[in-house]
């Protein structure tokens, strides 16, 4: 089930970020995004009432930027990420978004291929975006 995140989801989201990415945006940052940032949207994917994936983005006017997107490792490759991403795209489209930007590690071939499947293209390389690792900025039209 996909739903909007609530405050009690944040601890699990932080745990998942640390597990999947090795780092987290942090509880305080996520809490601020959820409760105080009017441009922020956070969706979770739950299975048996357990958060196993999430996607967060910021929307300003007709533009959106994905902050983080993950599916817990045991559940990857089962279409959950596609469902979550497509849900977010529908929400963006219904809110008037037509342009989506995201950043991804240059070594994350699985994520790059995933986004390319939806029409995203690499726009530029951002040196040291992930501490000591470069990132790609990708762009796609929301249709």
């Amino acid at each position: 089930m996909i739903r909007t995140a609530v405050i009690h989801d944040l601890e699990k989201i932080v745990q998942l970020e640390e597990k999947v990415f090795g780092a987290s945006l942090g509880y305080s940052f996520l809490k601020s995004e959820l409760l105080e940032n009017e441009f922020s949207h956070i969706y979770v994917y739950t299975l048996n009432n357990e958060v196993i994936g999430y996607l967060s983005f910021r929307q300003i006017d007709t533009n959106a930027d994905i902050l983080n997107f993950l599916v817990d490792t045991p559940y990857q490759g089962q279409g959950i990420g596609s469902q979550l991403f497509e849900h977010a795209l529908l929400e963006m489209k219904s809110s008037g978004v037509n342009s989506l930007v995201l950043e991804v590690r240059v070594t994350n071939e699985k994520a790059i291929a995933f986004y390319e499947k939806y029409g995203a293209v690499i726009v530029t390389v951002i040196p040291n975006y992930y501490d000591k690792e470069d990132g790609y900025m990708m762009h796609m039209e929301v249709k």
Side-chain angles (χ1 to χ4, degrees), residues 4-61:
T4 301
V6 294
I7 192 76
H8 76 266
D9 295 324
L10 297 183
E11 285 185 31
K12 181 62 177 185
I13 290 171
V14 169
Q15 291 171 359
L16 286 172
E17 286 180 329
E18 290 171 349
K19 176 182 177 183
V20 175
F21 298 141
S24 172
L25 294 172
Y27 185 89
S28 296
F29 177 84
L30 290 167
K31 182 178 177 187
S32 174
E33 286 293 297
L34 183 66
L35 301 179
E36 299 167 16
N37 188 338
E38 66 181 292
F39 304 109
S40 180
H41 304 265
I42 304 175
Y43 297 100
V44 294
Y45 189 104
T46 62
L47 183 64
N48 300 322
N49 293 318
E50 178 84 16
V51 174
I52 61 166
Y54 101 102
L55 186 149
S56 64
F57 69 91
R58 288 181 179 163
Q59 176 186 341
I60 299 176
D61 296 325

Side-chain angles (χ1 to χ4, degrees), residues 13-131:
I13 290 171
V14 169
Q15 291 171 359
L16 286 172
E17 286 180 329
E18 290 171 349
K19 176 182 177 183
V20 175
F21 298 141
S24 172
L25 294 172
Y27 185 89
S28 296
F29 177 84
L30 290 167
K31 182 178 177 187
S32 174
E33 286 293 297
L34 183 66
L35 301 179
E36 299 167 16
N37 188 338
E38 66 181 292
F39 304 109
S40 180
H41 304 265
I42 304 175
Y43 297 100
V44 294
Y45 189 104
T46 62
L47 183 64
N48 300 322
N49 293 318
E50 178 84 16
V51 174
I52 61 166
Y54 101 102
L55 186 149
S56 64
F57 69 91
R58 288 181 179 163
Q59 176 186 341
I60 299 176
D61 296 325
T62 61
N63 303 299
D65 185 0
I66 291 182
L67 296 180
N68 250 354
F69 173 32
L70 65 78
V71 174
D72 195 1
T73 39
Y75 302 100
Q76 292 178 5
Q78 300 178 27
I80 292 168
S82 294
Q83 290 177 51
L84 193 51
F85 190 65
E86 289 168 14
H87 177 84
L89 289 175
L90 285 172
E91 292 294 323
M92 289 176 201
K93 184 177 179 180
S94 70
S95 298
V97 170
N98 58 32
S99 177
L100 174 63
V101 173
L102 57 101
E103 298 78 28
V104 61
R105 293 178 187 271
V106 296
T107 57
N108 193 343
E109 295 173 6
K110 190 192 286 188
I112 294 164
F114 176 88
Y115 293 123
E116 287 177 338
K117 178 176 82 173
Y118 287 94
V121 294
I122 296 169
V123 176
T124 190
V125 175
I126 309 167
N128 301 313
Y129 186 76
Y130 296 96
D131 198 16

